[in-house]
Structures are given as structure tokens and as C-alpha cells.
Amino acid sequence: MKKSHKATVHIQVNDINEYSPVFKEKSYKATVIEGKKYDSILKVEAVDADCSFQFSQICNYEIVTPDVPFTVDKDGFIKNTEKLSYGKEHMYKLTVTAYDCGKNRASEDVLVKISVKPTCKPSWQGFNKRIEYEPGTGSLALFPSMHLETCDEPITSIRANVELETNHIGKGCDRDTYSEKSLHKLCGASSGTIELLPAPSNSANWTVGLPTDNGHDSDQVFEFNGTQAIKVPDGMVSTSLKEPFTISVWMRHGPGAHEKETILCNSDKTG
């Protein structure tokens, strides 16, 4: 029995598209700043277990969620199609799928979360421009909740100027502009305010002998030269002051220096 020569047979195995794309991550997330258009926000990536070049390559990505301001290209890069607003939406949730070049869809779509961060400017925050204060109520914390927003930027120095203004016409408690009675009202003096140095009158005569600057009765200015004083009559001020009280004085010091000067005193009957 004769045999023929041995022959080599070449068998080509064609790959079939038996696997679907699988995303490398279970989910993706990113943060963007409002009012800005990005060339790329993040990249999603899927792989395919098929062996052939045709079926193992990812040819296309697609955003399944409708009506969202984002697109994804064939390489998986996601970008926004319009400027985003924090006031309109704080976070977008997108479902993205992938296709291999044999048009097999990903076995499981992936969730992409994109947070929108409001535009940040370094500034002082947490304070009110208007503050209500009732005279005689003691100290008041002006800015108890104030804080500096640094926008995660390094700060080398801080400088702040605080300027307080009244809502009155003019300059608020201005001694040179307003009369004594006007100042009581303007500066918020309480209704129980007592005038210790009133302009001389029939009912108030204890300032009669004091030298004056010849001003008007409503804003009389008295001069004390160090050799004289006045006594406020008994009964003008209560001797049982249980609550905190305030004494207000407008004074301009004259020439010369003294070791001791008494502005106001209260003593027993022996002096």
C-alpha cells in the first residue's frame, strides 16, 4: 500500500462577538464650576474580552439619559454642551453605555455623577450690613457668625476695615452740629435721661454762676476753670441705681496740666 506525501492543512478560526463591553469602574464622578465650558470633564472607559481586533475594540460611547447638557465622544471623554448653573441644578446623574465594533452593547451601563460647584470669590461672609442696637443694653457682638471664604486658595495676609455709620442725616452724634436736645434723640438716649448741666432757667438754676461760651440756650457750653464746681440738687438722680447707667460728657480740655481733676463726684454729707 502506497501513501501519498504529507500535506499541511491551514485552519483559520474566525472570532465571533461573544463578549460585551464592561466598564472598568462601577461608577464615575466629577465636579465642575458653574459658568464654564469644559473641553473634557472626565473619561469613562470600557473593555471587551473578545480576541479579535474588530470585536475587542470599543467603537462608541453613548449617554442614555435624555435631555442633559453633556456629550460623550468615541474615546469616552464627557464634556458639557452649555454653561452650567448651580442655581438650576446642583448635580447631574448620567447613564452611559458602550458599544464594541461589532455593535454589542455593554452588559451593564455605568452611572456618572457630575456635581456643579458655585463660582467662588474670596470674601467675608456671614455678616449683616445693618445692626440694631438699643442704647444702654451693654456690649454687642457685631459679627458673631462672620467668616472668610478663601475658596481653598492659600492666604498670605488678611486686612479688614470696619466702618460704622448711623442712618441719620449728617454725621450721627456730632456735638458741633446738633443741639443738646437733638443729640439726645439722635444718639438714642433713653426717655429717662437727666440733664445734669441744663441751661439756666427758673426751674434749673444751679448752673447760673458758671462762665459760658455765650451759645444758644439749647446747646449751652459751660466753662470750668478748676476753682469752681456745681452741685446737682438732691432728687435729680435716684440714689438707688440698681441697673447699669451711662454718663455722657462732651468736653474740651483747656490749656495747662493738672495732677487731679474731678469731673463728677458723689459723696456723703461730710464731704
Side-chain angles (χ1 to χ4, degrees), residues 97-141:
T97 193
Y99 294 91
D100 63 23
C101 293
K103 296 186 179 180
N104 264 6
R105 181 172 173 166
S107 58
E108 188 174 343
D109 299 338
V110 73
L111 177 64
V112 177
K113 296 180 181 179
I114 300 177
S115 301
V116 181
K117 187 177 181 181
T119 303
C120 184
K121 294 180 180 179
S123 61
W124 292 103
Q125 297 182 8
F127 67 94
N128 294 322
K129 291 185 177 181
R130 179 180 176 86
I131 298 172
E132 297 287 345
Y133 178 76
E134 182 179 348
T137 57
S139 62
L140 173 67

Side-chain angles (χ1 to χ4, degrees), residues 20-25 28 42-48 56-65 70-79 95-101 103-110 112:
S20 297
V22 176
F23 284 95
K24 286 187 174 183
E25 304 290 340
Y28 294 86
L42 79 159
K43 181 183 180 181
V44 296
E45 187 175 0
V47 293
D48 193 296
S56 65
Q57 297 300 304
I58 307 300
C59 274
N60 188 34
Y61 291 92
E62 180 184 334
I63 296 176
V64 180
T65 308
F70 300 94
T71 58
V72 60
D73 64 16
K74 62 183 181 62
D75 296 316
F77 289 101
I78 295 177
K79 66 179 180 179
T95 301
V96 179
T97 193
Y99 294 91
D100 63 23
C101 293
K103 296 186 179 180
N104 264 6
R105 181 172 173 166
S107 58
E108 188 174 343
D109 299 338
V110 73
V112 177

Side-chain angles (χ1 to χ4, degrees), residues 100 109 161 177 193 205 238 253:
D100 63 23
D109 299 338
N161 294 324
T177 303
T193 298
N205 58 6
S238 172
H253 202 289

Side-chain angles (χ1 to χ4, degrees), residues 71 74 90-91 122 164 182 192 198 200 207 214 226 257 262 270:
T71 58
K74 62 183 181 62
H90 292 8
M91 176 186 287
L164 302 180
S182 297
T207 58
N214 296 320
T262 300
T270 63

Side-chain angles (χ1 to χ4, degrees), residues 6-12:
K6 292 180 180 180
T8 301
V9 178
H10 296 278
I11 299 173
Q12 180 176 343

